[in-house]
Amino acid sequence: MAQHLLVRHIDAVTSLWGVPDSIRSRLAAAVCAQRKLSSEVAHLFGSDRPTELTLPDCTQLDPTAMLQLLGLLITGEGTVDPVAAEGGGLAGPGKAEKQQQPQQQPKQQQQLQQCRLERLELGHCGRGFTDGAAAALAAAGPFQHLTVLRLGGAYKLTDQGILKVLEAAPMLKELAVPSASRLTGACLDRLPAVAPQLCSLDLSNCRGLPGSALASVLGQLVNLNRLVLDGVPEVCCQGV
């Protein structure tokens, strides 16, 4: 009953401070099920530097809203500098302001070092999670505690974007990028080097992945115990 009321009036909620991450995730799932995850509501779940952020349906978040959410999640700042966003930077003061107030830089670095993010799951995030969002996220790293990354339907994400994120998450164990149709063999070639601890990999419906690259790379992921390749057209039993 309490969750139902929260979901119904989620637009009126101003803070989720003190709510455990597990309960936040359940509430986020309920909010997404009702298609009520606006940019403002997403900020509720990204605030207070949670250890996990699980948003099953991000279809309402455009690139700007996604950058704002990532900036809030990582740095605690809910605004985006357009210049920094174009260059792959998260929320924070613009270049001119940084030059005028250099004393703020150590504080920002301290904020990034305090990031406790362990799990990031964004479903149906293709509209907002672009290479720019990936570069912005990577620029805020490294994320020493991040072990689970799931980006569902990230159809705008390219090899360059996902590799930047992976390079910033050296402890990653679970990676899921289903329906990331722009990924190619170039991403797979680097996977063993940038994600050596990977135990679970979901590449379902990534139709740009060549079977030859899969066959040569998967054997190098020595810790891999779960693999999902549904909908990858060049996969065959012999190759697997």
Side-chain angles (χ1 to χ4, degrees), residues 73-86:
L73 176 67
I74 304 304
T75 69
E77 299 291 337
T79 58
V80 170
D81 169 28
V83 176
E86 288 184 9

Side-chain angles (χ1 to χ4, degrees), residues 53-107:
L53 178 64
T54 302
L55 302 177
D57 188 347
C58 298
T59 52
Q60 297 187 56
L61 303 184
D62 61 18
T64 298
M66 183 63 70
L67 279 169
Q68 290 175 338
L69 174 62
L70 294 175
L72 182 65
L73 176 67
I74 304 304
T75 69
E77 299 291 337
T79 58
V80 170
D81 169 28
V83 176
E86 288 184 9
L90 283 175
K95 290 182 178 180
E97 186 176 345
K98 285 182 180 178
Q99 292 175 354
Q100 295 174 2
Q101 298 178 351
Q103 69 274 13
Q104 292 184 358
Q105 185 173 0
K107 181 179 179 180

Side-chain angles (χ1 to χ4, degrees), residues 11 20 52 54 96 107 112 139 149 152 164 167 178 188 205 218 240:
D11 294 332
E52 62 180 69
T54 302
K107 181 179 179 180
L112 296 180
L149 177 64
K164 284 183 178 180
E167 289 171 351
L188 290 176
N205 295 306
L218 294 179
V240 175

Side-chain angles (χ1 to χ4, degrees), residues 33-180:
Q34 297 296 319
R35 299 186 63 82
K36 301 187 71 171
L37 189 75
S38 64
S39 175
E40 293 76 14
V41 173
H43 286 183
L44 285 174
F45 298 102
S47 61
D48 305 319
R49 294 194 180 89
T51 59
E52 62 180 69
L53 178 64
T54 302
L55 302 177
D57 188 347
C58 298
T59 52
Q60 297 187 56
L61 303 184
D62 61 18
T64 298
M66 183 63 70
L67 279 169
Q68 290 175 338
L69 174 62
L70 294 175
L72 182 65
L73 176 67
I74 304 304
T75 69
E77 299 291 337
T79 58
V80 170
D81 169 28
V83 176
E86 288 184 9
L90 283 175
K95 290 182 178 180
E97 186 176 345
K98 285 182 180 178
Q99 292 175 354
Q100 295 174 2
Q101 298 178 351
Q103 69 274 13
Q104 292 184 358
Q105 185 173 0
K107 181 179 179 180
Q108 291 176 351
Q109 291 177 347
Q110 183 179 7
Q111 288 176 335
L112 296 180
Q113 292 172 356
Q114 293 175 351
C115 179
R116 304 179 299 124
L117 190 63
E118 299 175 6
R119 176 185 294 264
L120 178 60
E121 299 185 34
L122 304 176
H124 300 285
C125 64
R127 180 187 180 194
F129 203 95
T130 63
D131 276 358
L137 180 62
F143 305 105
Q144 299 294 345
H145 304 288
L146 185 63
T147 58
V148 178
L149 177 64
R150 294 175 181 165
L151 303 172
Y155 57 84
K156 294 180 181 179
L157 191 62
T158 68
D159 297 329
Q160 182 180 11
I162 189 61
L163 286 173
K164 284 183 178 180
V165 176
L166 294 179
E167 289 171 351
M171 306 303 293
L172 196 68
K173 295 185 177 180
E174 296 183 30
L175 173 64
V177 283
S179 301

Side-chain angles (χ1 to χ4, degrees), residues 1-10 13 27 36:
M1 178 63 72
Q3 178 175 291
H4 174 74
L5 289 174
L6 276 174
V7 173
R8 184 177 180 180
H9 301 287
I10 193 66
V13 177
L27 180 59
K36 301 187 71 171

